[in-house]
Amino acid sequence: MTRVFSGIQPTGEVHLGNYLGALRHWAEAQHENESIYCVVDLHAVTVRQDPDELRAKTLATMATLLAVGLDPDSCTLFVQSHVHEHPELAWLLECTVSFGELRRMTQFKDKSSRGGSDGVEGVSAGLFTYPALMAADILLYDTDLVPVGDDQRQHLELTRDVAERFNHRYGDTFVIPEAAIPRVGARVMDLQRPTDKMSKSTDSDAGVVMLTDDPATITRKFRRAVTDSEPEVRYDPENKPGVSNLLAILAASTSGDPATLAGEFEGYGALKAATAEAVVAVLEPVQRRRAELLEEEGYLLDVMSKGAAKASEIAADVLRRAHDAMGFVVVH
Ligand code: TYM
C-alpha cells in the first residue's frame, strides 16, 4: 500500500491556500492510502513563538485537521515534538546535506531576508537547517507520496537528493519519496497582491482568506480582490494573475477547470461573487466542526497521544535502520 506523509506548521491561522493546496487532498488520500499527517511544531520554533500561543495554535491546528475530515481511525494524526525520532534523524541528515544546498533554498532566502537589517546574522540556525528536519519527517515513515502545495517543491527535491546520497553512501536505507502537487490550487495567490502566494506571514490579511473567516468577511475580501483594467475574463496566470487566481480558486473549490470556467463569466463582478460563494460553501462545514472540536480539548489530546504512539512504532524502526547503516553501535 502506498504510504502518504505530510505536515503543516501550527503558526497563524490555516488559510485557503493551505486548504486547497494541501489539506483537502490529505482528506482524500486517507481512504486510498496509509496516511500519516503531522502538526510540525518543531518547525514552527525556527522563528520566535510565544509559548502560550504556540500551545493554543497547536491544539487549534489539530482541531482544523479533524474538521477538514481527517479521521484518526483512517489515518495517523500526531504532533511532531511527541515523536523524538524526528530531531534525531534530522541530525543525521544535517550531517548528510551540504551547507551550499541549504543556502540555496529559496524559502530560507525569503524568510532570512525579512530578518531585519543584519540579514542572516539574526535568524536562528534552525531556520537554516529546517529542510533537513523536513527531510527527516518524510524519510522516517518510508513515505512514497508527499501531498504539498507548489511552495514545498524545492524542499521535496532536496529530500530526495539527501535520501539518494545517504543510500549511496551507506546502503539502501530510505524510500525515495515523490511530491504530489495538485493540478489546480497548488499555488493560491494573495487576493491583494496576486503575484505573491497567499501566506500566513503577511503584513496585511486583506488578501488572505482564513479558514475561520465568516461569510461576510470572505465575500468582502473577494469583492475587493485586485484584478486588472481589462474587462475580459480569461485564464492567463502570466498576464492576468488576479483574475486567474480567482478562476483557480473557483475551480479548486468546485472541482472544475479554470480555463473552462472563464467562459462562463461576462465580468469580474460576477466572477468574484461566484468565487466567494463557492469558498463560503466549502468552508462552512469545516468551520462549524472546528468550533465544536475546540471545545473538546480532552479529545484533541487523546487523538495526539494515540497518533504519536502509532507514528513512533514506524519511526523507531526506520531510525534504527539509519543508525545501523551509518555505523552507530545499535544495542537492543
Ligand atoms: P506550511 O505549514 O507553510 O503549509 C502547509 C501546506 O499548505 C501548502 N500551502 C499552499 N498551497 C497552495 N497555495 C498556497 N498559497 C499555500 N500556502 C501553503 C503548503 O505547500 C503545505 O503543503 N515546510 C512545510 C511543513 C512541513 C512538511 C513536512 C510538509 C514540515 N515537514 C514534511 C510535508 C512533509 C510548511 O511550512 O508548510
Side-chain angles (χ1 to χ4, degrees), residues 5-9 15 17-18 20-22 26 40 43 80 107 130 133-134 137-138 146-152 155-156 185-189 197-200:
F5 179 94
S6 201
I8 182 166
Q9 295 199 55
H15 57 68
N18 299 131
L20 296 179
W26 298 8
V40 292
H43 278 96
Q80 190 183 27
Q107 278 212 346
Y130 181 118
L133 179 59
M134 179 160 162
D137 300 338
I138 297 167
V146 187
V148 280
D150 185 68
D151 60 342
Q152 298 301 316
H155 287 156
L156 255 297
R187 198 168 180 80
V188 175
M189 308 307 270
K197 72 167 184 184
M198 192 176 279
S199 160
K200 294 168 195 168

Side-chain angles (χ1 to χ4, degrees), residues 184-204:
V184 236
R187 198 168 180 80
V188 175
M189 308 307 270
D190 188 287
L191 300 183
Q192 289 299 317
R193 279 169 295 143
T195 46
D196 293 346
K197 72 167 184 184
M198 192 176 279
S199 160
K200 294 168 195 168
S201 47
T202 173
D203 20 328
S204 145

Side-chain angles (χ1 to χ4, degrees), residues 73-255:
D73 291 328
S74 305
C75 65
T76 301
L77 288 171
F78 74 105
V79 175
Q80 190 183 27
S81 63
H82 295 166
V83 179
H84 60 81
E85 284 81 2
H86 288 247
E88 288 182 49
L89 181 61
W91 177 252
L92 307 190
L93 300 180
E94 278 170 46
C95 297
T96 310
V97 71
S98 74
F99 185 86
E101 284 171 313
L102 293 177
R103 199 170 44 186
R104 283 192 288 279
M105 292 292 110
T106 51
Q107 278 212 346
F108 174 71
K109 288 197 254 177
D110 287 352
K111 285 200 181 173
S112 57
S113 65
R114 287 188 228 130
S117 54
D118 54 357
V120 293
E121 288 296 314
V123 304
S124 73
L127 189 65
F128 186 64
T129 57
Y130 181 118
L133 179 59
M134 179 160 162
D137 300 338
I138 297 167
L139 300 179
L140 263 181
Y141 297 95
D142 287 337
T143 302
D144 301 297
L145 275 183
V146 187
V148 280
D150 185 68
D151 60 342
Q152 298 301 316
R153 197 184 284 276
Q154 196 188 27
H155 287 156
L156 255 297
E157 275 161 22
L158 185 69
T159 301
R160 290 168 59 87
D161 289 348
V162 171
E164 273 163 8
R165 184 173 313 148
F166 192 104
N167 287 353
H168 183 70
R169 275 189 198 161
Y170 305 115
D172 243 359
T173 307
F174 296 125
V175 171
I176 310 296
E178 270 187 48
I181 297 177
R183 201 179 49 82
V184 236
R187 198 168 180 80
V188 175
M189 308 307 270
D190 188 287
L191 300 183
Q192 289 299 317
R193 279 169 295 143
T195 46
D196 293 346
K197 72 167 184 184
M198 192 176 279
S199 160
K200 294 168 195 168
S201 47
T202 173
D203 20 328
S204 145
D205 69 359
V208 183
V209 177
M210 302 296 178
L211 232 67
T212 47
D213 281 347
D214 58 46
T217 308
I218 295 175
T219 307
R220 190 179 60 245
K221 286 181 178 174
F222 277 103
R223 200 180 320 117
R224 296 189 183 155
V226 167
T227 45
D228 53 47
S229 52
E230 210 187 70
E232 191 198 357
V233 177
R234 189 174 80 239
Y235 186 65
D236 178 355
E238 185 115 330
N239 300 306
K240 294 172 77 70
V243 175
S244 301
N245 188 36
L246 295 175
L247 287 165
I249 293 172
L250 179 61
S253 305
T254 56
S255 308

Side-chain angles (χ1 to χ4, degrees), residues 4-75:
V4 170
F5 179 94
S6 201
I8 182 166
Q9 295 199 55
T11 44
E13 288 297 341
V14 173
H15 57 68
L16 185 64
N18 299 131
Y19 181 68
L20 296 179
L23 302 188
R24 214 170 46 127
H25 304 284
W26 298 8
E28 283 160 16
Q30 70 181 330
H31 301 298
E32 297 143 30
N33 306 290
E34 183 187 348
S35 306
I36 305 172
Y37 301 118
C38 181
V39 179
V40 292
D41 53 351
L42 296 173
H43 278 96
V45 297
T46 54
V47 294
R48 201 157 161 184
Q49 302 291 335
D50 173 82
D52 288 336
E53 272 185 30
L54 179 64
R55 212 168 285 123
K57 284 175 179 171
T58 303
L59 282 161
T61 305
M62 185 55 83
T64 301
L65 296 188
L66 292 163
V68 303
L70 294 173
D71 171 1
D73 291 328
S74 305
C75 65

